[in-house]
Amino acid sequence: ETGVTQSPTHLIKTRGQQVTLRCSSQSGHNTVSWYQQALGQGPQFIFQYYREEENGRGNFPPRFSGLQFPNYSSELNVNALELDDSALYLCASSLGTTGLNNEQFFGPGTRLTVL
Amino acid sequence: DQQVKQNSPSLSVQEGRISILNCDYTNSMFDYFLWYKKYPAEGPTFLISISSIKDKNEDGRFTVFLNKSAKHLSLHIVPSQPGDSAVYFCAARRGSNSGGSNYKLTFGKGTLLTVNP
């Protein structure tokens, strides 16, 4: 059973650019959540996708968008990058969205730096 | 508005002693709590959890205590080992039985635990 993987590991972009981060969920997991972890902070929920549809969103602007594909991979897209978007982006996969014990398994993250 | 607070940024203990990591929350809708451990360059790893219907959950060297009236939980590690050195995150979510989806984890800022040999 493979774990959650993310690519790339590190990325440097400039203000105003667009970026796509990728995540491959754990096999069989139909739910993926994305989190942003700024330096010195805990992860903050961006949104969740369940069966290829957005299933909930945190306090992030529309320029943060996502996609989930039938093969369990997913993308986080950020348009019009700002300096404050510099952070570690984590994806987490789980099986289902309800029930108290659907543990979320995290990937290693993508470190995005916006200059 | 920080709904989950870990007020100690760091904690240092001697190997073999007890480590106690604390967490407070403000949202009374939370009814499921989790602890994650994070090593550098890795994603958070689930450690232990507790439902609000319990006040204690134990798994080997790790025990989580929940004081619902005080909105406080703590993670005890006994005995502490150098390999336990990591950042520990407390997280909370609303359970499905509270009328909301449990999709969102709300994290604290984390506590860096250092266990000295």
Side-chain angles (χ1 to χ4, degrees):
Chain A
E1 181 178 272
T2 57
V4 180
T5 59
Q6 292 186 244
S7 63
T9 306
H10 297 88
L11 198 54
I12 299 175
K13 291 284 188 177
T14 55
R15 257 189 324 179
Q17 284 189 310
Q18 179 267 343
V19 69
T20 297
L21 309 182
R22 293 180 172 82
C23 172
S24 180
S25 296
Q26 189 156 317
S27 179
H29 284 184
N30 55 15
T31 304
V32 65
S33 304
W34 285 90
Y35 293 83
Q36 179 197 67
Q37 186 182 4
L39 199 62
Q41 305 293 316
Q44 277 202 293
F45 177 76
I46 303 174
F47 45 55
Q48 183 186 74
Y49 277 78
Y50 171 63
R51 292 185 176 177
E52 302 170 48
E53 291 192 4
E54 188 177 294
N55 185 50
R57 190 176 186 91
N59 190 25
F60 281 80
R63 59 190 185 82
F64 284 78
S65 63
L67 284 172
Q68 186 186 29
F69 304 101
N71 65 351
Y72 308 123
S73 67
S74 61
E75 290 180 355
L76 165 64
N77 298 291
V78 188
N79 293 323
L81 283 167
E82 300 176 0
L83 297 179
D84 285 348
D85 296 334
S86 296
L88 179 69
Y89 288 85
L90 296 160
C91 76
S93 74
S94 58
L95 183 61
T97 63
T98 59
L100 290 177
N101 296 319
N102 64 326
E103 177 189 337
Q104 294 189 18
F105 294 85
F106 283 83
T110 293
R111 172 73 60 187
L112 173 64
T113 302
V114 182
L115 302 176
Chain B
D1 178 28
Q2 192 87 23
Q3 296 186 60
V4 177
K5 300 177 185 178
Q6 293 178 258
N7 292 320
S8 297
S10 63
L11 175 68
S12 183
V13 300
Q14 284 299 119
E15 182 178 4
R17 298 292 187 103
I18 184 172
S19 295
I20 300 176
L21 297 102
N22 293 304
C23 177
D24 297 291
Y25 62 97
T26 58
N27 190 338
S28 57
M29 297 298 289
F30 290 144
D31 60 3
Y32 196 69
F33 304 90
L34 308 92
W35 284 93
Y36 281 82
K37 180 169 73 172
K38 187 179 186 300
Y39 294 117
E42 295 183 12
T45 303
F46 170 75
L47 195 56
I48 193 169
S49 62
I50 188 166
S51 166
S52 60
I53 62 174
K54 296 185 175 181
D55 55 19
K56 177 183 173 181
N57 188 28
E58 192 171 350
D59 183 3
R61 296 186 297 115
F62 302 91
T63 303
V64 56
F65 295 92
L66 175 63
N67 183 333
K68 201 175 172 184
S69 61
K71 293 190 176 70
H72 176 84
L73 62 155
S74 61
L75 173 67
H76 292 213
I77 306 174
V78 181
S80 301
Q81 299 174 353
D84 296 330
S85 298
V87 176
Y88 288 77
F89 290 102
C90 171
R93 70 183 187 207
R94 292 169 53 180
S96 58
N97 60 356
S98 65
S101 171
N102 69 348
Y103 54 80
K104 172 184 172 181
L105 290 177
T106 300
F107 285 85
K109 291 186 178 182
T111 297
L112 173 62
L113 173 66
T114 303
V115 180
N116 301 302

Coordinates of all heavy atoms in Angstrom, one line a residue, chain A residues 33 35 37 40-45 48 55-59 88 90 96-109, chain B residues 2 31-32 34 36 38 41-46 49 51 89 93-97 100-110:
Chain A
S33 N -7.9 16.3 1.2 CA -8.0 17.6 1.8 C -6.6 18.3 1.6 O -5.6 17.7 1.6 CB -8.3 17.5 3.3 OG -9.4 16.8 3.5
Y35 N -4.1 21.6 2.9 CA -3.9 22.5 4.0 C -2.7 23.4 3.6 O -1.8 23.0 2.9 CB -3.5 21.7 5.3 CG -4.7 20.9 5.9 CD1 -5.0 19.7 5.4 CD2 -5.4 21.4 6.9 CE1 -6.1 18.9 5.9 CE2 -6.5 20.7 7.5 CZ -6.8 19.5 6.9 OH -7.8 18.8 7.5
Q37 N 0.4 25.5 5.5 CA 1.1 25.7 6.8 C 2.1 26.7 6.6 O 3.2 26.5 6.0 CB 1.7 24.4 7.3 CG 2.3 24.5 8.7 CD 3.0 23.3 9.2 OE1 3.2 22.3 8.5 NE2 3.5 23.3 10.4
G40 N 5.8 28.7 11.4 CA 5.4 28.9 12.8 C 4.0 28.7 13.1 O 3.5 29.0 14.2
Q41 N 3.2 28.3 12.1 CA 1.7 28.1 12.3 C 1.4 26.6 12.1 O 2.2 25.8 11.6 CB 0.9 28.9 11.3 CG 1.3 30.4 11.3 CD 0.9 31.0 12.6 OE1 -0.2 30.8 13.1 NE2 1.7 31.9 13.1
G42 N 0.2 26.3 12.6 CA -0.3 24.9 12.3 C -1.0 24.9 10.9 O -1.2 26.0 10.3
P43 N -1.2 23.7 10.4 CA -1.8 23.6 9.0 C -3.2 24.3 9.1 O -4.0 24.1 10.1 CB -1.9 22.1 8.8 CG -0.8 21.5 9.7 CD -0.8 22.4 10.9
Q44 N -3.6 25.0 8.0 CA -4.9 25.6 7.9 C -5.6 25.0 6.7 O -5.1 24.9 5.6 CB -4.8 27.1 7.7 CG -4.6 27.9 8.9 CD -5.0 29.4 8.7 OE1 -4.4 30.1 7.9 NE2 -6.1 29.8 9.3
F45 N -6.9 24.6 7.0 CA -7.7 23.9 6.0 C -8.0 24.8 4.8 O -8.5 25.9 5.0 CB -9.0 23.4 6.6 CG -10.0 22.8 5.7 CD1 -9.8 21.5 5.3 CD2 -11.1 23.4 5.3 CE1 -10.7 20.8 4.5 CE2 -12.0 22.8 4.5 CZ -11.8 21.5 4.1
Q48 N -11.6 20.6 0.7 CA -11.6 19.1 0.6 C -12.4 18.7 -0.7 O -13.4 19.4 -1.1 CB -12.3 18.5 1.8 CG -12.3 17.0 1.7 CD -13.2 16.4 2.9 OE1 -14.4 16.4 2.8 NE2 -12.5 15.9 3.9
N55 N -16.0 19.6 -1.4 CA -16.9 19.2 -0.4 C -16.8 20.0 0.9 O -17.1 19.6 2.0 CB -16.6 17.7 0.0 CG -17.5 17.1 1.0 OD1 -18.7 17.2 0.9 ND2 -17.0 16.5 2.0
G56 N -16.2 21.2 0.7 CA -16.0 22.1 1.9 C -14.8 22.9 1.7 O -13.9 22.5 1.0
R57 N -14.9 24.1 2.2 CA -13.8 25.1 1.9 C -13.5 25.9 3.2 O -14.5 26.3 3.9 CB -14.3 26.0 0.8 CG -13.2 26.9 0.2 CD -13.7 27.7 -0.9 NE -12.6 28.5 -1.5 CZ -11.8 28.1 -2.5 NH1 -12.1 26.9 -3.1 NH2 -10.8 28.8 -3.0
G58 N -12.3 26.2 3.4 CA -11.9 27.1 4.5 C -11.9 28.5 4.0 O -12.4 28.9 3.0
N59 N -11.2 29.4 4.8 CA -11.3 30.8 4.6 C -10.2 31.2 3.6 O -9.2 31.9 3.9 CB -11.1 31.5 5.9 CG -11.4 33.0 5.7 OD1 -12.1 33.4 4.8 ND2 -10.8 33.8 6.6
L88 N 4.2 25.8 3.4 CA 4.2 24.4 3.1 C 2.8 24.0 2.8 O 1.9 24.3 3.6 CB 4.7 23.6 4.3 CG 4.8 22.1 4.1 CD1 5.9 21.7 3.1 CD2 5.1 21.5 5.5
L90 N 0.2 21.0 2.2 CA 0.0 19.6 2.6 C -1.3 19.1 2.0 O -2.3 19.7 2.1 CB 0.0 19.4 4.1 CG 1.2 19.8 4.9 CD1 0.9 20.1 6.3 CD2 2.3 18.7 4.8
G96 N -13.7 8.4 2.8 CA -15.0 8.9 3.2 C -14.8 10.3 3.9 O -13.7 10.7 4.3
T97 N -15.9 10.9 4.2 CA -15.9 12.2 4.8 C -16.6 12.3 6.1 O -16.5 13.2 6.9 CB -16.6 13.3 3.9 OG1 -18.0 12.9 3.7 CG2 -16.0 13.3 2.5
T98 N -17.4 11.3 6.4 CA -18.1 11.3 7.7 C -17.7 10.1 8.5 O -17.1 9.2 8.0 CB -19.6 11.2 7.5 OG1 -20.0 10.1 6.7 CG2 -20.1 12.5 6.7
G99 N -18.1 10.1 9.7 CA -17.7 9.0 10.6 C -16.5 9.5 11.4 O -15.7 10.2 10.9
L100 N -16.5 9.1 12.6 CA -15.5 9.7 13.5 C -14.1 9.2 13.3 O -13.1 9.9 13.8 CB -15.9 9.5 15.0 CG -17.1 10.2 15.5 CD1 -17.5 9.8 16.9 CD2 -16.9 11.7 15.4
N101 N -13.9 8.1 12.7 CA -12.6 7.5 12.7 C -11.9 7.5 11.3 O -11.1 6.7 11.0 CB -12.6 6.1 13.2 CG -13.1 6.1 14.7 OD1 -12.6 6.9 15.4 ND2 -13.9 5.2 15.0
N102 N -12.3 8.4 10.4 CA -11.7 8.4 9.1 C -10.4 9.3 9.2 O -10.4 10.4 8.9 CB -12.6 8.9 8.0 CG -13.0 10.4 8.2 OD1 -13.2 10.8 9.3 ND2 -13.1 11.1 7.1
E103 N -9.4 8.6 9.6 CA -8.1 9.3 9.8 C -7.6 9.8 8.4 O -7.7 9.2 7.4 CB -7.1 8.2 10.3 CG -5.7 8.8 10.4 CD -4.7 7.6 10.7 OE1 -5.1 6.6 11.2 OE2 -3.5 7.8 10.4
Q104 N -7.0 11.0 8.5 CA -6.4 11.7 7.4 C -4.9 11.3 7.3 O -4.2 11.5 8.3 CB -6.6 13.2 7.4 CG -8.1 13.5 7.3 CD -8.3 15.0 7.1 OE1 -7.4 15.8 6.7 NE2 -9.6 15.4 7.3
F105 N -4.4 10.9 6.2 CA -3.0 10.5 6.0 C -2.4 11.6 5.2 O -2.8 11.9 4.1 CB -2.9 9.2 5.3 CG -3.3 8.0 6.1 CD1 -4.7 7.7 6.1 CD2 -2.5 7.3 6.8 CE1 -5.1 6.6 6.8 CE2 -2.9 6.2 7.6 CZ -4.3 5.9 7.6
F106 N -1.3 12.3 5.7 CA -0.7 13.4 5.1 C 0.5 13.0 4.2 O 1.2 12.1 4.5 CB -0.2 14.4 6.2 CG -1.3 15.2 6.8 CD1 -2.1 14.7 7.8 CD2 -1.6 16.5 6.3 CE1 -3.1 15.5 8.4 CE2 -2.6 17.2 6.9 CZ -3.4 16.7 7.9
G107 N 0.7 13.8 3.2 CA 1.9 13.7 2.4 C 2.9 14.6 3.0 O 2.7 15.3 4.0
P108 N 4.2 14.5 2.4 CA 5.3 15.3 3.0 C 5.2 16.8 2.7 O 6.0 17.6 3.3 CB 6.5 14.7 2.3 CG 5.9 14.1 1.0 CD 4.5 13.7 1.3
G109 N 4.4 17.2 1.8 CA 4.2 18.6 1.5 C 5.0 19.1 0.4 O 6.0 18.5 -0.1
Chain B
Q2 N -8.0 32.0 17.0 CA -7.4 30.7 17.2 C -8.3 29.8 18.0 O -8.5 30.0 19.2 CB -6.0 30.9 17.9 CG -5.1 29.8 17.9 CD -4.2 29.7 16.7 OE1 -4.0 30.7 16.1 NE2 -3.7 28.5 16.4
D31 N -15.9 17.8 18.8 CA -16.1 16.6 19.7 C -15.2 15.5 19.3 O -15.5 14.3 19.7 CB -17.6 16.2 19.7 CG -18.1 15.9 18.3 OD1 -17.3 15.9 17.3 OD2 -19.3 15.6 18.2
Y32 N -14.2 15.8 18.6 CA -13.2 14.7 18.3 C -11.9 15.4 18.2 O -11.7 16.4 17.5 CB -13.5 14.0 17.0 CG -12.8 12.7 16.8 CD1 -13.1 11.6 17.6 CD2 -11.8 12.5 15.8 CE1 -12.5 10.4 17.5 CE2 -11.2 11.3 15.7 CZ -11.5 10.3 16.5 OH -10.9 9.1 16.3
L34 N -7.4 15.1 18.0 CA -6.4 14.2 17.5 C -5.0 14.9 17.8 O -4.9 16.1 17.9 CB -6.5 14.1 16.0 CG -7.8 13.6 15.4 CD1 -8.7 14.8 15.0 CD2 -7.6 12.8 14.1
Y36 N -1.1 14.9 16.2 CA -0.2 14.5 15.1 C 1.2 14.8 15.5 O 1.5 15.8 16.2 CB -0.6 15.3 13.8 CG -1.8 14.7 13.1 CD1 -3.1 15.1 13.5 CD2 -1.6 13.9 12.0 CE1 -4.2 14.6 12.8 CE2 -2.8 13.4 11.3 CZ -4.0 13.8 11.7 OH -5.1 13.3 11.0
K38 N 5.0 15.5 13.8 CA 5.6 15.9 12.6 C 7.2 16.0 12.7 O 7.7 16.8 13.5 CB 5.1 17.2 12.1 CG 5.5 17.6 10.6 CD 4.9 18.9 10.2 CE 5.3 19.2 8.7 NZ 6.7 19.3 8.5
A41 N 10.6 17.8 7.2 CA 10.6 17.3 5.8 C 9.6 16.1 5.6 O 9.6 15.4 4.6 CB 11.9 16.8 5.3
E42 N 8.7 15.9 6.6 CA 7.7 14.9 6.5 C 6.3 15.5 6.8 O 6.3 16.5 7.5 CB 7.9 13.7 7.5 CG 9.2 12.9 7.2 CD 9.3 11.7 8.1 OE1 8.4 11.4 8.8 OE2 10.4 11.1 8.1
G43 N 5.3 14.8 6.3 CA 4.0 15.3 6.7 C 3.6 14.9 8.1 O 4.2 14.0 8.7
P44 N 2.6 15.5 8.7 CA 2.1 15.1 10.0 C 1.7 13.6 10.0 O 1.0 13.2 9.0 CB 0.9 16.0 10.3 CG 1.1 17.2 9.4 CD 1.8 16.7 8.2
T45 N 2.0 12.9 11.1 CA 1.6 11.5 11.2 C 0.6 11.4 12.4 O 0.9 11.9 13.5 CB 2.8 10.7 11.5 OG1 3.7 10.8 10.4 CG2 2.4 9.2 11.6
F46 N -0.5 10.8 12.2 CA -1.5 10.6 13.2 C -0.9 9.8 14.4 O -0.2 8.8 14.2 CB -2.7 9.8 12.7 CG -3.7 9.4 13.7 CD1 -4.5 10.3 14.3 CD2 -3.7 8.1 14.1 CE1 -5.4 9.9 15.3 CE2 -4.6 7.6 15.1 CZ -5.5 8.6 15.7
S49 N -6.1 9.7 19.2 CA -7.2 10.5 19.1 C -8.1 10.2 20.3 O -8.0 9.2 21.0 CB -8.0 10.3 17.8 OG -8.5 9.0 17.7
S51 N -12.5 10.8 21.5 CA -13.8 11.3 21.3 C -14.2 12.1 22.5 O -13.8 11.7 23.6 CB -14.8 10.2 21.0 OG -16.1 10.6 21.1
F89 N 1.3 18.4 17.0 CA 0.1 19.3 16.7 C -1.1 18.7 17.3 O -1.4 17.5 17.2 CB -0.1 19.4 15.2 CG 0.9 20.2 14.5 CD1 1.9 19.6 13.7 CD2 0.8 21.6 14.5 CE1 2.8 20.4 13.1 CE2 1.8 22.4 13.9 CZ 2.8 21.8 13.1
R93 N -12.0 18.5 15.4 CA -13.0 18.6 14.4 C -14.4 18.3 14.9 O -14.5 17.8 16.0 CB -12.7 17.6 13.3 CG -12.9 16.1 13.6 CD -12.5 15.2 12.5 NE -12.9 13.8 12.8 CZ -12.2 12.8 12.3 NH1 -11.2 12.9 11.5 NH2 -12.6 11.5 12.7
R94 N -15.3 18.7 14.2 CA -16.7 18.5 14.5 C -17.1 17.1 14.0 O -16.8 16.8 12.9 CB -17.6 19.5 13.9 CG -17.5 20.9 14.4 CD -18.2 21.9 13.6 NE -19.6 21.5 13.4 CZ -20.5 22.2 12.7 NH1 -20.1 23.3 12.1 NH2 -21.7 21.8 12.5
G95 N -17.7 16.3 14.9 CA -18.1 15.0 14.4 C -19.4 15.0 13.7 O -20.2 16.0 13.7
S96 N -19.7 13.9 12.9 CA -20.9 13.9 12.1 C -22.2 13.9 13.0 O -23.2 14.3 12.5 CB -20.9 12.6 11.2 OG -20.8 11.5 12.0
N97 N -22.0 13.5 14.2 CA -23.2 13.5 15.1 C -23.6 14.9 15.6 O -24.5 15.0 16.3 CB -23.1 12.5 16.2 CG -21.9 12.9 17.1 OD1 -21.2 13.8 16.8 ND2 -21.7 12.2 18.2
G100 N -22.6 18.5 11.5 CA -21.8 19.1 10.5 C -20.8 18.0 10.0 O -20.6 17.0 10.6
S101 N -20.3 18.3 8.9 CA -19.3 17.4 8.3 C -18.0 17.4 9.1 O -17.7 18.4 9.7 CB -19.0 17.8 6.9 OG -17.9 17.0 6.4
N102 N -17.4 16.3 9.2 CA -16.1 16.3 10.0 C -14.9 16.4 9.1 O -13.9 15.9 9.4 CB -16.0 15.0 10.8 CG -15.9 13.8 9.9 OD1 -16.0 13.9 8.7 ND2 -15.5 12.7 10.6
Y103 N -15.1 17.1 7.9 CA -14.0 17.1 7.0 C -12.9 18.0 7.4 O -11.8 17.8 6.9 CB -14.5 17.6 5.6 CG -15.3 18.9 5.7 CD1 -14.6 20.1 5.7 CD2 -16.6 19.0 5.7 CE1 -15.2 21.3 5.7 CE2 -17.3 20.2 5.7 CZ -16.6 21.4 5.7 OH -17.2 22.6 5.8
K104 N -13.1 18.9 8.2 CA -12.1 20.0 8.4 C -11.4 19.7 9.8 O -12.0 19.7 10.8 CB -12.8 21.3 8.4 CG -11.9 22.5 8.8 CD -12.7 23.8 8.9 CE -11.9 24.9 9.5 NZ -12.7 26.1 9.5
L105 N -10.1 19.6 9.7 CA -9.3 19.6 11.0 C -8.8 21.0 11.3 O -8.3 21.7 10.4 CB -8.1 18.7 10.8 CG -8.3 17.2 10.7 CD1 -7.0 16.4 10.5 CD2 -9.0 16.7 11.9
T106 N -9.0 21.4 12.5 CA -8.5 22.7 13.0 C -7.3 22.4 13.9 O -7.4 21.7 14.9 CB -9.5 23.5 13.7 OG1 -10.7 23.7 12.8 CG2 -9.0 24.9 14.2
F107 N -6.1 23.0 13.5 CA -4.9 22.7 14.2 C -4.4 23.8 15.1 O -4.7 25.0 14.8 CB -3.8 22.4 13.1 CG -3.8 21.1 12.4 CD1 -4.6 21.0 11.3 CD2 -3.0 20.1 12.9 CE1 -4.6 19.8 10.6 CE2 -3.0 18.8 12.2 CZ -3.8 18.7 11.1
G108 N -3.7 23.4 16.1 CA -2.9 24.4 16.9 C -1.6 24.7 16.2 O -1.3 24.1 15.1
K109 N -0.8 25.6 16.8 CA 0.4 26.0 16.2 C 1.5 25.0 16.4 O 2.6 25.1 15.7 CB 0.9 27.3 16.7 CG 0.0 28.5 16.3 CD 0.6 29.8 16.7 CE -0.3 31.0 16.3 NZ 0.3 32.3 16.6
G110 N 1.3 24.0 17.3 CA 2.3 23.0 17.5 C 3.3 23.3 18.7 O 3.5 24.4 19.0

